[in-house]
Amino acid sequence: MKFGVLGPLMLDNNEDTSCVPTAPKARHLLTLLMINANQIVSVDTCVDELWQSAPPRSAVSVLQTYVLQIRRLLRAADAQEILVTHNRSYQLLVPAASFDRAVFASTTGRARAAVLRTDDRVDADLFDSALNLWRGPAMADIPDGPIIAVHRIELEELRFGAMEQRGEAYLRLGRHRELLADLRALAGTYPLRENVQAQLMVALYRSGRRAEAIGTFDRLRGLMGKEFGLDPVPRMQRLYQAIRHRLYA
């Protein structure tokens, strides 16, 4: 089986056929169990996630129906033993090597170890591998509940961090032109993230686009002034002055 939350929910059998439930609540429940892979999740937690503050009187019995639906799908994929029932709780047994979230965490961990060794080629390749696991926004087809919302934010922050660190590795390797399209998109999504704007400025300058690099700083300064009444941090201002006066190496 393949398990995935780095994009639309994924539960594929060994023939790469999707086993994701079609019923929205059953899909939501499966997502909750998957992001808590190998942990015991109480019935109360499931009810709170699926219905928040307004569960129906029949919530527990309806929940059991969704569990049965998931079990039927797993049974059809010859994986019926991975959803375990405990006392008023459930546990989805997920091998780390088959779960994109776990593989992402492992790969980015190895990439950060390569950063510490100043092995830029290895850490760039590992960050690329980790980011290639993403198929879209985390759990893109699942609505927010109180637990999934927190995990979604956490995963997107981890993705952003990996993109930032990959950018640093690419710039150290002189691969700024390869990075430009991704950096433009990232800077547009996070217009107030100074490190991303700095990476874009460096990549533009090294690609012979000095005026665009200066314009990137000007937009950042305007946005920060409008939103917070602040100027960019001194490091950004030093970068701007170096690019403006053609002193950046």
Side-chain angles (χ1 to χ4, degrees), residues 200-219:
L200 178 59
M201 288 171 66
V202 170
L204 286 167
Y205 180 74
R206 289 180 177 173
S207 300
R209 300 169 182 256
R210 174 172 162 271
E212 289 182 56
I214 291 170
T216 298
F217 179 85
D218 289 338
R219 281 192 299 276

PDB file of all heavy atoms in Angstrom, residues 200-219:
ATOM      1  N   LEU A 200      15.542  35.448  -4.204  1.00  0.00           N
ATOM      2  CA  LEU A 200      15.116  35.878  -5.534  1.00  0.00           C
ATOM      3  C   LEU A 200      15.986  37.031  -6.029  1.00  0.00           C
ATOM      4  O   LEU A 200      16.390  37.048  -7.205  1.00  0.00           O
ATOM      5  CB  LEU A 200      13.644  36.295  -5.508  1.00  0.00           C
ATOM      6  CG  LEU A 200      13.074  36.814  -6.828  1.00  0.00           C
ATOM      7  CD1 LEU A 200      13.204  35.765  -7.938  1.00  0.00           C
ATOM      8  CD2 LEU A 200      11.604  37.228  -6.655  1.00  0.00           C
ATOM      9  N   MET A 201      16.305  37.964  -5.149  1.00  0.00           N
ATOM     10  CA  MET A 201      17.166  39.092  -5.536  1.00  0.00           C
ATOM     11  C   MET A 201      18.530  38.594  -6.007  1.00  0.00           C
ATOM     12  O   MET A 201      19.044  39.044  -7.033  1.00  0.00           O
ATOM     13  CB  MET A 201      17.328  40.054  -4.357  1.00  0.00           C
ATOM     14  CG  MET A 201      16.084  40.854  -4.040  1.00  0.00           C
ATOM     15  SD  MET A 201      16.239  41.769  -2.479  1.00  0.00           S
ATOM     16  CE  MET A 201      17.549  42.935  -2.893  1.00  0.00           C
ATOM     17  N   VAL A 202      19.116  37.657  -5.267  1.00  0.00           N
ATOM     18  CA  VAL A 202      20.427  37.124  -5.642  1.00  0.00           C
ATOM     19  C   VAL A 202      20.345  36.391  -6.981  1.00  0.00           C
ATOM     20  O   VAL A 202      21.197  36.581  -7.869  1.00  0.00           O
ATOM     21  CB  VAL A 202      20.964  36.191  -4.539  1.00  0.00           C
ATOM     22  CG1 VAL A 202      22.207  35.449  -5.015  1.00  0.00           C
ATOM     23  CG2 VAL A 202      21.271  36.990  -3.273  1.00  0.00           C
ATOM     24  N   ALA A 203      19.322  35.544  -7.136  1.00  0.00           N
ATOM     25  CA  ALA A 203      19.184  34.782  -8.381  1.00  0.00           C
ATOM     26  C   ALA A 203      18.976  35.717  -9.580  1.00  0.00           C
ATOM     27  O   ALA A 203      19.553  35.501 -10.656  1.00  0.00           O
ATOM     28  CB  ALA A 203      18.026  33.797  -8.265  1.00  0.00           C
ATOM     29  N   LEU A 204      18.178  36.764  -9.396  1.00  0.00           N
ATOM     30  CA  LEU A 204      17.950  37.724 -10.480  1.00  0.00           C
ATOM     31  C   LEU A 204      19.247  38.466 -10.824  1.00  0.00           C
ATOM     32  O   LEU A 204      19.608  38.615 -11.998  1.00  0.00           O
ATOM     33  CB  LEU A 204      16.865  38.719 -10.072  1.00  0.00           C
ATOM     34  CG  LEU A 204      15.427  38.193 -10.062  1.00  0.00           C
ATOM     35  CD1 LEU A 204      14.502  39.151  -9.340  1.00  0.00           C
ATOM     36  CD2 LEU A 204      14.925  37.938 -11.489  1.00  0.00           C
ATOM     37  N   TYR A 205      19.933  38.931  -9.806  1.00  0.00           N
ATOM     38  CA  TYR A 205      21.175  39.684 -10.034  1.00  0.00           C
ATOM     39  C   TYR A 205      22.206  38.837 -10.765  1.00  0.00           C
ATOM     40  O   TYR A 205      22.830  39.284 -11.736  1.00  0.00           O
ATOM     41  CB  TYR A 205      21.716  40.171  -8.689  1.00  0.00           C
ATOM     42  CG  TYR A 205      23.005  40.958  -8.796  1.00  0.00           C
ATOM     43  CD1 TYR A 205      23.001  42.267  -9.279  1.00  0.00           C
ATOM     44  CD2 TYR A 205      24.224  40.394  -8.420  1.00  0.00           C
ATOM     45  CE1 TYR A 205      24.177  42.994  -9.377  1.00  0.00           C
ATOM     46  CE2 TYR A 205      25.402  41.103  -8.523  1.00  0.00           C
ATOM     47  CZ  TYR A 205      25.375  42.412  -9.000  1.00  0.00           C
ATOM     48  OH  TYR A 205      26.551  43.127  -9.098  1.00  0.00           O
ATOM     49  N   ARG A 206      22.374  37.596 -10.315  1.00  0.00           N
ATOM     50  CA  ARG A 206      23.362  36.716 -10.949  1.00  0.00           C
ATOM     51  C   ARG A 206      22.952  36.325 -12.362  1.00  0.00           C
ATOM     52  O   ARG A 206      23.790  35.900 -13.156  1.00  0.00           O
ATOM     53  CB  ARG A 206      23.565  35.465 -10.105  1.00  0.00           C
ATOM     54  CG  ARG A 206      24.305  35.720  -8.801  1.00  0.00           C
ATOM     55  CD  ARG A 206      24.464  34.419  -8.028  1.00  0.00           C
ATOM     56  NE  ARG A 206      25.231  34.580  -6.803  1.00  0.00           N
ATOM     57  CZ  ARG A 206      25.390  33.621  -5.898  1.00  0.00           C
ATOM     58  NH1 ARG A 206      24.843  32.418  -6.098  1.00  0.00           N
ATOM     59  NH2 ARG A 206      26.090  33.841  -4.811  1.00  0.00           N
ATOM     60  N   SER A 207      21.660  36.454 -12.664  1.00  0.00           N
ATOM     61  CA  SER A 207      21.164  36.125 -14.001  1.00  0.00           C
ATOM     62  C   SER A 207      21.144  37.358 -14.907  1.00  0.00           C
ATOM     63  O   SER A 207      20.563  37.319 -15.994  1.00  0.00           O
ATOM     64  CB  SER A 207      19.754  35.529 -13.910  1.00  0.00           C
ATOM     65  OG  SER A 207      19.752  34.353 -13.127  1.00  0.00           O
ATOM     66  N   GLY A 208      21.758  38.446 -14.453  1.00  0.00           N
ATOM     67  CA  GLY A 208      21.820  39.667 -15.253  1.00  0.00           C
ATOM     68  C   GLY A 208      20.560  40.505 -15.207  1.00  0.00           C
ATOM     69  O   GLY A 208      20.353  41.347 -16.092  1.00  0.00           O
ATOM     70  N   ARG A 209      19.730  40.313 -14.184  1.00  0.00           N
ATOM     71  CA  ARG A 209      18.469  41.058 -14.073  1.00  0.00           C
ATOM     72  C   ARG A 209      18.520  41.980 -12.849  1.00  0.00           C
ATOM     73  O   ARG A 209      17.708  41.881 -11.942  1.00  0.00           O
ATOM     74  CB  ARG A 209      17.287  40.088 -13.970  1.00  0.00           C
ATOM     75  CG  ARG A 209      17.153  39.171 -15.181  1.00  0.00           C
ATOM     76  CD  ARG A 209      16.154  38.059 -14.915  1.00  0.00           C
ATOM     77  NE  ARG A 209      16.061  37.160 -16.032  1.00  0.00           N
ATOM     78  CZ  ARG A 209      15.048  37.130 -16.923  1.00  0.00           C
ATOM     79  NH1 ARG A 209      14.058  37.990 -16.802  1.00  0.00           N
ATOM     80  NH2 ARG A 209      15.056  36.264 -17.908  1.00  0.00           N
ATOM     81  N   ARG A 210      19.502  42.873 -12.846  1.00  0.00           N
ATOM     82  CA  ARG A 210      19.729  43.735 -11.686  1.00  0.00           C
ATOM     83  C   ARG A 210      18.520  44.615 -11.391  1.00  0.00           C
ATOM     84  O   ARG A 210      18.131  44.795 -10.228  1.00  0.00           O
ATOM     85  CB  ARG A 210      20.962  44.597 -11.940  1.00  0.00           C
ATOM     86  CG  ARG A 210      21.260  45.647 -10.877  1.00  0.00           C
ATOM     87  CD  ARG A 210      22.608  46.300 -11.142  1.00  0.00           C
ATOM     88  NE  ARG A 210      22.732  47.551 -10.421  1.00  0.00           N
ATOM     89  CZ  ARG A 210      22.350  48.731 -10.912  1.00  0.00           C
ATOM     90  NH1 ARG A 210      21.823  48.800 -12.134  1.00  0.00           N
ATOM     91  NH2 ARG A 210      22.485  49.832 -10.190  1.00  0.00           N
ATOM     92  N   ALA A 211      17.900  45.187 -12.404  1.00  0.00           N
ATOM     93  CA  ALA A 211      16.752  46.072 -12.177  1.00  0.00           C
ATOM     94  C   ALA A 211      15.598  45.311 -11.518  1.00  0.00           C
ATOM     95  O   ALA A 211      14.920  45.845 -10.631  1.00  0.00           O
ATOM     96  CB  ALA A 211      16.293  46.686 -13.495  1.00  0.00           C
ATOM     97  N   GLU A 212      15.379  44.064 -11.922  1.00  0.00           N
ATOM     98  CA  GLU A 212      14.325  43.258 -11.300  1.00  0.00           C
ATOM     99  C   GLU A 212      14.668  42.933  -9.852  1.00  0.00           C
ATOM    100  O   GLU A 212      13.783  42.886  -8.993  1.00  0.00           O
ATOM    101  CB  GLU A 212      14.118  41.965 -12.089  1.00  0.00           C
ATOM    102  CG  GLU A 212      13.454  42.164 -13.444  1.00  0.00           C
ATOM    103  CD  GLU A 212      13.227  40.841 -14.145  1.00  0.00           C
ATOM    104  OE1 GLU A 212      12.565  39.960 -13.546  1.00  0.00           O
ATOM    105  OE2 GLU A 212      13.731  40.671 -15.276  1.00  0.00           O
ATOM    106  N   ALA A 213      15.951  42.706  -9.594  1.00  0.00           N
ATOM    107  CA  ALA A 213      16.368  42.444  -8.213  1.00  0.00           C
ATOM    108  C   ALA A 213      16.095  43.660  -7.332  1.00  0.00           C
ATOM    109  O   ALA A 213      15.582  43.529  -6.209  1.00  0.00           O
ATOM    110  CB  ALA A 213      17.850  42.082  -8.183  1.00  0.00           C
ATOM    111  N   ILE A 214      16.418  44.839  -7.837  1.00  0.00           N
ATOM    112  CA  ILE A 214      16.147  46.075  -7.089  1.00  0.00           C
ATOM    113  C   ILE A 214      14.643  46.260  -6.903  1.00  0.00           C
ATOM    114  O   ILE A 214      14.173  46.630  -5.825  1.00  0.00           O
ATOM    115  CB  ILE A 214      16.775  47.280  -7.817  1.00  0.00           C
ATOM    116  CG1 ILE A 214      18.300  47.198  -7.732  1.00  0.00           C
ATOM    117  CG2 ILE A 214      16.269  48.593  -7.242  1.00  0.00           C
ATOM    118  CD1 ILE A 214      19.035  48.200  -8.602  1.00  0.00           C
ATOM    119  N   GLY A 215      13.865  45.968  -7.956  1.00  0.00           N
ATOM    120  CA  GLY A 215      12.409  46.073  -7.860  1.00  0.00           C
ATOM    121  C   GLY A 215      11.822  45.122  -6.829  1.00  0.00           C
ATOM    122  O   GLY A 215      10.836  45.444  -6.155  1.00  0.00           O
ATOM    123  N   THR A 216      12.432  43.940  -6.678  1.00  0.00           N
ATOM    124  CA  THR A 216      11.975  42.986  -5.670  1.00  0.00           C
ATOM    125  C   THR A 216      12.110  43.582  -4.274  1.00  0.00           C
ATOM    126  O   THR A 216      11.208  43.465  -3.440  1.00  0.00           O
ATOM    127  CB  THR A 216      12.792  41.676  -5.770  1.00  0.00           C
ATOM    128  OG1 THR A 216      12.563  41.091  -7.049  1.00  0.00           O
ATOM    129  CG2 THR A 216      12.390  40.689  -4.686  1.00  0.00           C
ATOM    130  N   PHE A 217      13.238  44.219  -4.017  1.00  0.00           N
ATOM    131  CA  PHE A 217      13.431  44.863  -2.706  1.00  0.00           C
ATOM    132  C   PHE A 217      12.441  46.009  -2.516  1.00  0.00           C
ATOM    133  O   PHE A 217      11.855  46.165  -1.427  1.00  0.00           O
ATOM    134  CB  PHE A 217      14.857  45.386  -2.574  1.00  0.00           C
ATOM    135  CG  PHE A 217      15.105  46.073  -1.264  1.00  0.00           C
ATOM    136  CD1 PHE A 217      15.460  45.348  -0.139  1.00  0.00           C
ATOM    137  CD2 PHE A 217      14.972  47.449  -1.148  1.00  0.00           C
ATOM    138  CE1 PHE A 217      15.671  45.979   1.081  1.00  0.00           C
ATOM    139  CE2 PHE A 217      15.189  48.089   0.058  1.00  0.00           C
ATOM    140  CZ  PHE A 217      15.537  47.352   1.175  1.00  0.00           C
ATOM    141  N   ASP A 218      12.244  46.802  -3.559  1.00  0.00           N
ATOM    142  CA  ASP A 218      11.323  47.938  -3.440  1.00  0.00           C
ATOM    143  C   ASP A 218       9.906  47.471  -3.103  1.00  0.00           C
ATOM    144  O   ASP A 218       9.213  48.083  -2.283  1.00  0.00           O
ATOM    145  CB  ASP A 218      11.314  48.750  -4.740  1.00  0.00           C
ATOM    146  CG  ASP A 218      12.608  49.525  -4.953  1.00  0.00           C
ATOM    147  OD1 ASP A 218      13.324  49.776  -3.961  1.00  0.00           O
ATOM    148  OD2 ASP A 218      12.903  49.886  -6.114  1.00  0.00           O
ATOM    149  N   ARG A 219       9.463  46.371  -3.725  1.00  0.00           N
ATOM    150  CA  ARG A 219       8.130  45.837  -3.420  1.00  0.00           C
ATOM    151  C   ARG A 219       8.065  45.352  -1.977  1.00  0.00           C
ATOM    152  O   ARG A 219       7.074  45.590  -1.270  1.00  0.00           O
ATOM    153  CB  ARG A 219       7.790  44.692  -4.377  1.00  0.00           C
ATOM    154  CG  ARG A 219       7.336  45.145  -5.740  1.00  0.00           C
ATOM    155  CD  ARG A 219       6.732  43.995  -6.535  1.00  0.00           C
ATOM    156  NE  ARG A 219       7.698  42.922  -6.755  1.00  0.00           N
ATOM    157  CZ  ARG A 219       8.585  42.909  -7.740  1.00  0.00           C
ATOM    158  NH1 ARG A 219       8.650  43.913  -8.595  1.00  0.00           N
ATOM    159  NH2 ARG A 219       9.421  41.897  -7.875  1.00  0.00           N
TER     160      ARG A 219
END
